[in-house]
Amino acid sequence: MTTSTEKQTRGYTDIGGHRTWFADSGGPGEPILLLHGGLSDSELMLEPLEPALGDRYRILAFDRRGHGRTADTPDAFHYDEMATETVAAIDKLIGGPAHLVGWSDGAIVALLVALRRPDLVRSLVLIGANYHFEGNMPTQPGGSGFKIIKERYAERSPDGADHFPIVFKRSLAMFATEPTLTTDDLRKITAPALVIVGDDDLMSLTHTASLYESLPQSQLAVIPGTSHAVLLEKPEYVGQLIRDFLSAPGIPQTYFPVRRKPRDGA
């Protein structure tokens, strides 16, 4: 079933031959596609970000296969296939370039889309991103985050709560071997990028710094007192950072540029 208000649409459509849940705010301005994290769902991003961005942009999202309200298939999870799914979603829902705002797995997918189809990417916002699996910290996180993820999956998944161990196992297998991008790959991405990370995130700060330093047009925000759930822990702050970044495209003009210093030395 698809539900619509005067502007907003939420429901199902066919993406890549699979029945896929999507949301479209119908708002004004350029489109922003939200790309949710692994084992997560689009509404976990829509809820904190629509208030900050919805008055200026058209906000869209979709639940990838096996996530949120979109059913699973028997296939393993791979980031390359998620990128293929995302390109198909952009073609179906937008039909042109968009700002990609990705969180965790969604940020990895955004990087892959930017490499594969730069014509579809206006800019990148990468929240809690690792570009190589070795960038993640070797420890298991504590806290209540995993319990919340399981509960949200049970509430939304058409496959039912009992299917969660299957998608969890597939996700762990992917996390252990993917992604495998290099800093040379990142240097090929020409879209402006904002890297956002919690100061106690899943990936090392060294890895995050190399992500930021390798993207040619990048900005970095390390948010104190936050974890991999930075978007939920400080939603207003993250929303304002994204809004400021998107509303001021181009190279920031600062008093003492170093990494952004013009090549001619001026």
PDB file of all heavy atoms in Angstrom, residues 75-97:
ATOM      1  N   ASP A  75      20.027 -14.219  -1.227  1.00  0.00           N
ATOM      2  CA  ASP A  75      21.389 -13.861  -1.602  1.00  0.00           C
ATOM      3  C   ASP A  75      22.174 -13.237  -0.454  1.00  0.00           C
ATOM      4  O   ASP A  75      21.611 -12.599   0.444  1.00  0.00           O
ATOM      5  CB  ASP A  75      21.362 -12.881  -2.778  1.00  0.00           C
ATOM      6  CG  ASP A  75      20.675 -13.464  -3.995  1.00  0.00           C
ATOM      7  OD1 ASP A  75      20.803 -14.685  -4.202  1.00  0.00           O
ATOM      8  OD2 ASP A  75      20.002 -12.708  -4.716  1.00  0.00           O
ATOM      9  N   ALA A  76      23.496 -13.413  -0.514  1.00  0.00           N
ATOM     10  CA  ALA A  76      24.389 -12.786   0.454  1.00  0.00           C
ATOM     11  C   ALA A  76      24.381 -11.269   0.276  1.00  0.00           C
ATOM     12  O   ALA A  76      23.957 -10.747  -0.757  1.00  0.00           O
ATOM     13  CB  ALA A  76      25.804 -13.335   0.282  1.00  0.00           C
ATOM     14  N   PHE A  77      24.864 -10.556   1.298  1.00  0.00           N
ATOM     15  CA  PHE A  77      24.986  -9.106   1.221  1.00  0.00           C
ATOM     16  C   PHE A  77      26.379  -8.735   0.702  1.00  0.00           C
ATOM     17  O   PHE A  77      27.391  -9.277   1.152  1.00  0.00           O
ATOM     18  CB  PHE A  77      24.800  -8.468   2.598  1.00  0.00           C
ATOM     19  CG  PHE A  77      23.404  -8.528   3.136  1.00  0.00           C
ATOM     20  CD1 PHE A  77      23.171  -8.414   4.505  1.00  0.00           C
ATOM     21  CD2 PHE A  77      22.314  -8.697   2.305  1.00  0.00           C
ATOM     22  CE1 PHE A  77      21.886  -8.460   5.016  1.00  0.00           C
ATOM     23  CE2 PHE A  77      21.025  -8.752   2.805  1.00  0.00           C
ATOM     24  CZ  PHE A  77      20.814  -8.627   4.166  1.00  0.00           C
ATOM     25  N   HIS A  78      26.401  -7.778  -0.237  1.00  0.00           N
ATOM     26  CA  HIS A  78      27.659  -7.225  -0.729  1.00  0.00           C
ATOM     27  C   HIS A  78      27.441  -5.747  -1.027  1.00  0.00           C
ATOM     28  O   HIS A  78      26.406  -5.356  -1.581  1.00  0.00           O
ATOM     29  CB  HIS A  78      28.131  -7.943  -1.996  1.00  0.00           C
ATOM     30  CG  HIS A  78      28.500  -9.375  -1.784  1.00  0.00           C
ATOM     31  ND1 HIS A  78      29.616  -9.761  -1.083  1.00  0.00           N
ATOM     32  CD2 HIS A  78      27.878 -10.525  -2.187  1.00  0.00           C
ATOM     33  CE1 HIS A  78      29.684 -11.077  -1.045  1.00  0.00           C
ATOM     34  NE2 HIS A  78      28.645 -11.572  -1.706  1.00  0.00           N
ATOM     35  N   TYR A  79      28.442  -4.931  -0.702  1.00  0.00           N
ATOM     36  CA  TYR A  79      28.297  -3.493  -0.909  1.00  0.00           C
ATOM     37  C   TYR A  79      28.154  -3.138  -2.382  1.00  0.00           C
ATOM     38  O   TYR A  79      27.420  -2.213  -2.734  1.00  0.00           O
ATOM     39  CB  TYR A  79      29.495  -2.747  -0.307  1.00  0.00           C
ATOM     40  CG  TYR A  79      29.504  -2.734   1.199  1.00  0.00           C
ATOM     41  CD1 TYR A  79      30.567  -3.283   1.913  1.00  0.00           C
ATOM     42  CD2 TYR A  79      28.459  -2.172   1.917  1.00  0.00           C
ATOM     43  CE1 TYR A  79      30.588  -3.274   3.296  1.00  0.00           C
ATOM     44  CE2 TYR A  79      28.468  -2.154   3.306  1.00  0.00           C
ATOM     45  CZ  TYR A  79      29.541  -2.716   3.994  1.00  0.00           C
ATOM     46  OH  TYR A  79      29.543  -2.715   5.366  1.00  0.00           O
ATOM     47  N   ASP A  80      28.837  -3.845  -3.254  1.00  0.00           N
ATOM     48  CA  ASP A  80      28.715  -3.551  -4.682  1.00  0.00           C
ATOM     49  C   ASP A  80      27.272  -3.721  -5.157  1.00  0.00           C
ATOM     50  O   ASP A  80      26.775  -2.919  -5.962  1.00  0.00           O
ATOM     51  CB  ASP A  80      29.642  -4.454  -5.499  1.00  0.00           C
ATOM     52  CG  ASP A  80      31.074  -3.945  -5.525  1.00  0.00           C
ATOM     53  OD1 ASP A  80      31.280  -2.755  -5.216  1.00  0.00           O
ATOM     54  OD2 ASP A  80      31.978  -4.733  -5.847  1.00  0.00           O
ATOM     55  N   GLU A  81      26.604  -4.774  -4.677  1.00  0.00           N
ATOM     56  CA  GLU A  81      25.219  -4.998  -5.075  1.00  0.00           C
ATOM     57  C   GLU A  81      24.293  -3.956  -4.458  1.00  0.00           C
ATOM     58  O   GLU A  81      23.289  -3.554  -5.061  1.00  0.00           O
ATOM     59  CB  GLU A  81      24.798  -6.412  -4.695  1.00  0.00           C
ATOM     60  CG  GLU A  81      25.534  -7.471  -5.503  1.00  0.00           C
ATOM     61  CD  GLU A  81      25.269  -8.884  -5.041  1.00  0.00           C
ATOM     62  OE1 GLU A  81      24.439  -9.059  -4.126  1.00  0.00           O
ATOM     63  OE2 GLU A  81      25.903  -9.810  -5.587  1.00  0.00           O
ATOM     64  N   MET A  82      24.624  -3.494  -3.243  1.00  0.00           N
ATOM     65  CA  MET A  82      23.856  -2.409  -2.639  1.00  0.00           C
ATOM     66  C   MET A  82      24.008  -1.128  -3.447  1.00  0.00           C
ATOM     67  O   MET A  82      23.058  -0.339  -3.573  1.00  0.00           O
ATOM     68  CB  MET A  82      24.308  -2.188  -1.190  1.00  0.00           C
ATOM     69  CG  MET A  82      23.981  -3.336  -0.260  1.00  0.00           C
ATOM     70  SD  MET A  82      24.576  -3.030   1.430  1.00  0.00           S
ATOM     71  CE  MET A  82      24.080  -4.556   2.238  1.00  0.00           C
ATOM     72  N   ALA A  83      25.215  -0.907  -3.987  1.00  0.00           N
ATOM     73  CA  ALA A  83      25.423   0.268  -4.837  1.00  0.00           C
ATOM     74  C   ALA A  83      24.605   0.155  -6.118  1.00  0.00           C
ATOM     75  O   ALA A  83      24.021   1.142  -6.579  1.00  0.00           O
ATOM     76  CB  ALA A  83      26.911   0.421  -5.160  1.00  0.00           C
ATOM     77  N   THR A  84      24.536  -1.047  -6.689  1.00  0.00           N
ATOM     78  CA  THR A  84      23.702  -1.265  -7.872  1.00  0.00           C
ATOM     79  C   THR A  84      22.239  -0.979  -7.555  1.00  0.00           C
ATOM     80  O   THR A  84      21.532  -0.328  -8.347  1.00  0.00           O
ATOM     81  CB  THR A  84      23.852  -2.722  -8.359  1.00  0.00           C
ATOM     82  OG1 THR A  84      25.208  -2.953  -8.742  1.00  0.00           O
ATOM     83  CG2 THR A  84      22.932  -2.994  -9.544  1.00  0.00           C
ATOM     84  N   GLU A  85      21.785  -1.434  -6.388  1.00  0.00           N
ATOM     85  CA  GLU A  85      20.413  -1.184  -5.950  1.00  0.00           C
ATOM     86  C   GLU A  85      20.163   0.314  -5.779  1.00  0.00           C
ATOM     87  O   GLU A  85      19.093   0.830  -6.135  1.00  0.00           O
ATOM     88  CB  GLU A  85      20.179  -1.926  -4.637  1.00  0.00           C
ATOM     89  CG  GLU A  85      18.764  -1.906  -4.100  1.00  0.00           C
ATOM     90  CD  GLU A  85      18.623  -2.677  -2.804  1.00  0.00           C
ATOM     91  OE1 GLU A  85      19.662  -3.025  -2.187  1.00  0.00           O
ATOM     92  OE2 GLU A  85      17.474  -2.934  -2.394  1.00  0.00           O
ATOM     93  N   THR A  86      21.157   1.020  -5.268  1.00  0.00           N
ATOM     94  CA  THR A  86      21.012   2.458  -5.030  1.00  0.00           C
ATOM     95  C   THR A  86      20.969   3.233  -6.341  1.00  0.00           C
ATOM     96  O   THR A  86      20.172   4.174  -6.477  1.00  0.00           O
ATOM     97  CB  THR A  86      22.160   2.957  -4.136  1.00  0.00           C
ATOM     98  OG1 THR A  86      22.113   2.258  -2.887  1.00  0.00           O
ATOM     99  CG2 THR A  86      22.052   4.451  -3.889  1.00  0.00           C
ATOM    100  N   VAL A  87      21.790   2.866  -7.296  1.00  0.00           N
ATOM    101  CA  VAL A  87      21.734   3.508  -8.614  1.00  0.00           C
ATOM    102  C   VAL A  87      20.355   3.310  -9.233  1.00  0.00           C
ATOM    103  O   VAL A  87      19.767   4.250  -9.807  1.00  0.00           O
ATOM    104  CB  VAL A  87      22.839   2.952  -9.539  1.00  0.00           C
ATOM    105  CG1 VAL A  87      22.616   3.409 -10.975  1.00  0.00           C
ATOM    106  CG2 VAL A  87      24.207   3.394  -9.048  1.00  0.00           C
ATOM    107  N   ALA A  88      19.817   2.086  -9.107  1.00  0.00           N
ATOM    108  CA  ALA A  88      18.476   1.823  -9.627  1.00  0.00           C
ATOM    109  C   ALA A  88      17.430   2.664  -8.910  1.00  0.00           C
ATOM    110  O   ALA A  88      16.470   3.160  -9.527  1.00  0.00           O
ATOM    111  CB  ALA A  88      18.147   0.339  -9.485  1.00  0.00           C
ATOM    112  N   ALA A  89      17.604   2.874  -7.608  1.00  0.00           N
ATOM    113  CA  ALA A  89      16.666   3.701  -6.841  1.00  0.00           C
ATOM    114  C   ALA A  89      16.741   5.156  -7.286  1.00  0.00           C
ATOM    115  O   ALA A  89      15.711   5.837  -7.401  1.00  0.00           O
ATOM    116  CB  ALA A  89      16.967   3.582  -5.348  1.00  0.00           C
ATOM    117  N   ILE A  90      17.952   5.660  -7.528  1.00  0.00           N
ATOM    118  CA  ILE A  90      18.090   7.043  -8.004  1.00  0.00           C
ATOM    119  C   ILE A  90      17.410   7.203  -9.357  1.00  0.00           C
ATOM    120  O   ILE A  90      16.678   8.163  -9.601  1.00  0.00           O
ATOM    121  CB  ILE A  90      19.578   7.435  -8.083  1.00  0.00           C
ATOM    122  CG1 ILE A  90      20.195   7.459  -6.688  1.00  0.00           C
ATOM    123  CG2 ILE A  90      19.738   8.800  -8.752  1.00  0.00           C
ATOM    124  CD1 ILE A  90      21.699   7.659  -6.673  1.00  0.00           C
ATOM    125  N   ASP A  91      17.653   6.245 -10.251  1.00  0.00           N
ATOM    126  CA  ASP A  91      17.024   6.310 -11.567  1.00  0.00           C
ATOM    127  C   ASP A  91      15.502   6.274 -11.455  1.00  0.00           C
ATOM    128  O   ASP A  91      14.800   7.009 -12.178  1.00  0.00           O
ATOM    129  CB  ASP A  91      17.512   5.146 -12.439  1.00  0.00           C
ATOM    130  CG  ASP A  91      18.948   5.320 -12.909  1.00  0.00           C
ATOM    131  OD1 ASP A  91      19.429   6.466 -12.903  1.00  0.00           O
ATOM    132  OD2 ASP A  91      19.583   4.309 -13.261  1.00  0.00           O
ATOM    133  N   LYS A  92      14.970   5.441 -10.558  1.00  0.00           N
ATOM    134  CA  LYS A  92      13.525   5.266 -10.457  1.00  0.00           C
ATOM    135  C   LYS A  92      12.856   6.424  -9.714  1.00  0.00           C
ATOM    136  O   LYS A  92      11.819   6.946 -10.154  1.00  0.00           O
ATOM    137  CB  LYS A  92      13.222   3.951  -9.723  1.00  0.00           C
ATOM    138  CG  LYS A  92      11.748   3.637  -9.524  1.00  0.00           C
ATOM    139  CD  LYS A  92      11.042   3.373 -10.843  1.00  0.00           C
ATOM    140  CE  LYS A  92       9.586   2.996 -10.650  1.00  0.00           C
ATOM    141  NZ  LYS A  92       9.424   1.601 -10.168  1.00  0.00           N
ATOM    142  N   LEU A  93      13.429   6.842  -8.604  1.00  0.00           N
ATOM    143  CA  LEU A  93      12.773   7.819  -7.742  1.00  0.00           C
ATOM    144  C   LEU A  93      13.105   9.265  -8.098  1.00  0.00           C
ATOM    145  O   LEU A  93      12.298  10.165  -7.849  1.00  0.00           O
ATOM    146  CB  LEU A  93      13.154   7.563  -6.281  1.00  0.00           C
ATOM    147  CG  LEU A  93      12.804   6.192  -5.713  1.00  0.00           C
ATOM    148  CD1 LEU A  93      13.350   6.065  -4.284  1.00  0.00           C
ATOM    149  CD2 LEU A  93      11.294   5.955  -5.730  1.00  0.00           C
ATOM    150  N   ILE A  94      14.286   9.489  -8.667  1.00  0.00           N
ATOM    151  CA  ILE A  94      14.761  10.858  -8.895  1.00  0.00           C
ATOM    152  C   ILE A  94      14.993  11.144 -10.372  1.00  0.00           C
ATOM    153  O   ILE A  94      14.603  12.195 -10.887  1.00  0.00           O
ATOM    154  CB  ILE A  94      16.051  11.118  -8.084  1.00  0.00           C
ATOM    155  CG1 ILE A  94      15.783  10.896  -6.586  1.00  0.00           C
ATOM    156  CG2 ILE A  94      16.571  12.528  -8.334  1.00  0.00           C
ATOM    157  CD1 ILE A  94      17.035  10.893  -5.724  1.00  0.00           C
ATOM    158  N   GLY A  95      15.662  10.248 -11.046  1.00  0.00           N
ATOM    159  CA  GLY A  95      15.934  10.442 -12.469  1.00  0.00           C
ATOM    160  C   GLY A  95      17.017  11.444 -12.772  1.00  0.00           C
ATOM    161  O   GLY A  95      17.067  12.022 -13.860  1.00  0.00           O
ATOM    162  N   GLY A  96      17.911  11.669 -11.825  1.00  0.00           N
ATOM    163  CA  GLY A  96      18.990  12.621 -12.011  1.00  0.00           C
ATOM    164  C   GLY A  96      19.852  12.686 -10.774  1.00  0.00           C
ATOM    165  O   GLY A  96      19.669  11.905  -9.831  1.00  0.00           O
ATOM    166  N   PRO A  97      20.790  13.627 -10.716  1.00  0.00           N
ATOM    167  CA  PRO A  97      21.727  13.685  -9.588  1.00  0.00           C
ATOM    168  C   PRO A  97      21.062  14.106  -8.288  1.00  0.00           C
ATOM    169  O   PRO A  97      20.059  14.815  -8.273  1.00  0.00           O
ATOM    170  CB  PRO A  97      22.756  14.721 -10.039  1.00  0.00           C
ATOM    171  CG  PRO A  97      22.027  15.573 -11.025  1.00  0.00           C
ATOM    172  CD  PRO A  97      21.068  14.649 -11.725  1.00  0.00           C
TER     173      PRO A  97
END
